[in-house]
């Protein structure tokens, strides 16, 4: 009886801390997985690898021993720097997906079930960036597949688009426990991966949904109410030229505040216009 109460109190405590899902039956060595994926991201193309191996007669890189001791989490500055380096080494979306899946510098990965990268068409002219996976996205491993995602699909359909015509991703590839807001540290650690993803997809138009994505990618302090409906040039130091970026309300906000759909409709019409006719009026 007393033991039951203790277990109940412990479960309550976990639930309040945002732990609301069982993750795995057995412990996983995510550090080992991380190192292996970084090696994958840095691995040369097969022909180059074969030539190098033949030249040096060295064995191909091996996975770390399964009983290798877990490395401690990197300090945030180092994690951001290492994300930067790893992302910059990726020359294809596949490499980036492998590298993010293996990266262990962000503690969110330890509580998430899936690494959620992108969905849709990597050749699309329009790329949408949200905040972070929710519970359904974490379960399915795809962005925007829960209630907010269904509304996003309807918003896209309103201007004649669907997931085959856009590429969808998030600021963070891992669900924050209990859907809490991402911290500045988590955003800074994951942003190099997102920026590399934008460089590799190279869309013509970037749509940032919600204040978190808008502020982080536009480097602005204003909230979404001020930022939405405007167009900004977005670029990274590695890009030649810039991408036209705009922001609008997050569909999760629209589910709570349907009166904001009027503004979003205007934003969608402006996006449709730029899709069809090119430059936005700045
Ligand atoms: N909200 C987001 O910002 N992204 C998702 O993938 C789902 C909900």
């Amino acid at each position: 009886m007393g033991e039951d109460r203790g277990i109940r109190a412990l479960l309550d405590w976990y639930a309040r801390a945002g732990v609301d899902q069982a993750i795995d039956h057995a412990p996983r060595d995510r550090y080992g997985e991380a190192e292996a994926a970084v090696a994958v991201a840095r691995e040369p193309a097969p022909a180059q690898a074969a030539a190098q191996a033949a030249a040096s007669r060295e064995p191909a890189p091996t996975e770390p021993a399964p009983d290798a001791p877990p490395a401690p989490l990197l300090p945030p500055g180092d994690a951001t720097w290492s994300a930067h380096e790893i992302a910059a080494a990726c020359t294809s979306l596949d490499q980036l997906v492998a590298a993010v899946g293996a990266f262990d510098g962000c503690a969110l990965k330890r509580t998430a079930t899936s690494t959620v990268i992108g969905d849709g068409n990597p050749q699309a002219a329009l790329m949408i960036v949200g905040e972070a996976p929710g519970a359904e996205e974490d379960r399915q491993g795809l962005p925007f597949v829960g209630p907010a995602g269904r509304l996003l699909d309807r918003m896209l359909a309103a201007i004649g688009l669907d997931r085959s015509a856009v590429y969808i991703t998030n600021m963070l590839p891992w669900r924050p426990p209990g859907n809490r807001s991402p911290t500045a540290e988590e955003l800074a650690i994951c942003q190099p991966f997102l920026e590399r993803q934008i460089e590799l997809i190279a869309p013509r138009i970037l749509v940032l949904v919600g204040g978190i994505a808008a502020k982080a990618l536009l480097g602005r302090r204003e909230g979404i109410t001020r930022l939405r409906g405007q167009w900004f040039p977005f670029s990274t130091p590695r890009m030649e030229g810039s991408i036209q970026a705009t922001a609008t309300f997050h569909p999760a906000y629209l589910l709570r505040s349907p009166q904001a759909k009027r503004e979003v409709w205007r934003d969608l019409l402006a996006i449709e216009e730029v899709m069809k006719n090119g430059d936005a009026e700045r």
Side-chain angles (χ1 to χ4, degrees):
M1 210 41 193
E3 197 182 332
D4 267 9
R5 261 208 303 276
I7 291 171
R8 232 175 257 282
L10 181 63
L11 287 174
D12 268 2
W13 183 82
Y14 277 135
R16 279 198 305 275
V19 181
D20 55 5
Q21 286 180 41
I23 295 175
D24 252 335
H25 294 294
R28 284 176 64 174
D29 176 13
R30 292 192 185 270
Y31 291 105
E33 290 168 14
E35 282 166 29
V38 171
V40 168
R42 292 201 170 134
E43 235 170 51
Q48 202 188 342
Q52 278 173 6
S56 66
R57 295 280 163 238
E58 276 180 11
T62 51
E63 301 235 347
D67 55 356
L73 204 62
L74 288 171
D78 293 0
T80 306
W81 179 246
S82 120
H84 226 278
E85 291 227 302
I86 295 167
C90 296
T91 54
S92 70
L93 192 58
D94 286 348
Q95 279 185 0
L96 187 70
V97 169
V100 176
F103 181 70
D104 252 333
C106 179
L108 288 178
K109 186 179 182 187
R110 297 176 182 186
T111 49
T113 305
S114 311
T115 297
V116 180
I117 313 268
D119 189 27
N121 181 352
Q123 262 87 48
L126 180 73
M127 179 165 177
I128 297 171
V129 182
E131 184 177 316
E136 196 51 40
E137 288 77 16
D138 188 41
R139 254 190 295 278
Q140 295 191 34
L142 288 170
F144 282 102
V145 287
R150 286 192 284 279
L151 179 52
L152 179 63
D153 286 342
R154 292 206 297 279
M155 288 159 60
L156 290 172
I159 52 169
L161 299 174
D162 62 20
R163 287 189 188 222
S164 67
V166 302
Y167 184 82
I168 305 179
T169 189
N170 280 308
M171 292 299 303
L172 299 181
W174 298 289
R175 179 194 182 206
N179 293 349
R180 66 159 168 75
S181 292
T183 65
E185 201 170 83
E186 289 156 358
L187 289 166
I189 292 172
C190 297
Q191 193 156 332
F193 292 122
L194 174 64
E195 289 189 356
R196 189 73 190 122
Q197 206 180 351
I198 297 172
E199 290 165 1
L200 291 168
I201 301 283
R204 197 160 59 76
I205 300 169
L206 204 51
V207 177
L208 312 173
V209 295
I212 300 270
K215 288 201 266 188
L217 284 189
L218 299 175
R220 306 284 290 232
R221 300 174 75 100
E222 301 99 304
I224 187 65
T225 308
R226 277 179 186 270
L227 293 175
R228 63 146 285 277
Q230 303 186 56
W231 290 87
F232 304 86
F234 170 86
S235 64
T236 69
R238 297 163 60 103
M239 279 168 50
E240 282 173 24
S242 61
I243 298 172
Q244 304 189 83
T246 190
T248 192
F249 289 125
H250 195 289
Y253 171 72
L254 293 184
L255 289 174
R256 296 191 303 273
S257 310
Q259 73 281 1
K261 285 184 181 170
R262 202 156 46 137
E263 279 92 347
V264 171
W265 177 238
R266 280 206 294 268
D267 299 342
L268 288 170
L269 292 178
I271 293 164
E272 184 182 33
E273 175 67 21
V274 175
M275 283 286 282
K276 284 195 183 130
N277 298 324
D279 268 9
E281 277 180 31
R282 298 235 169 98

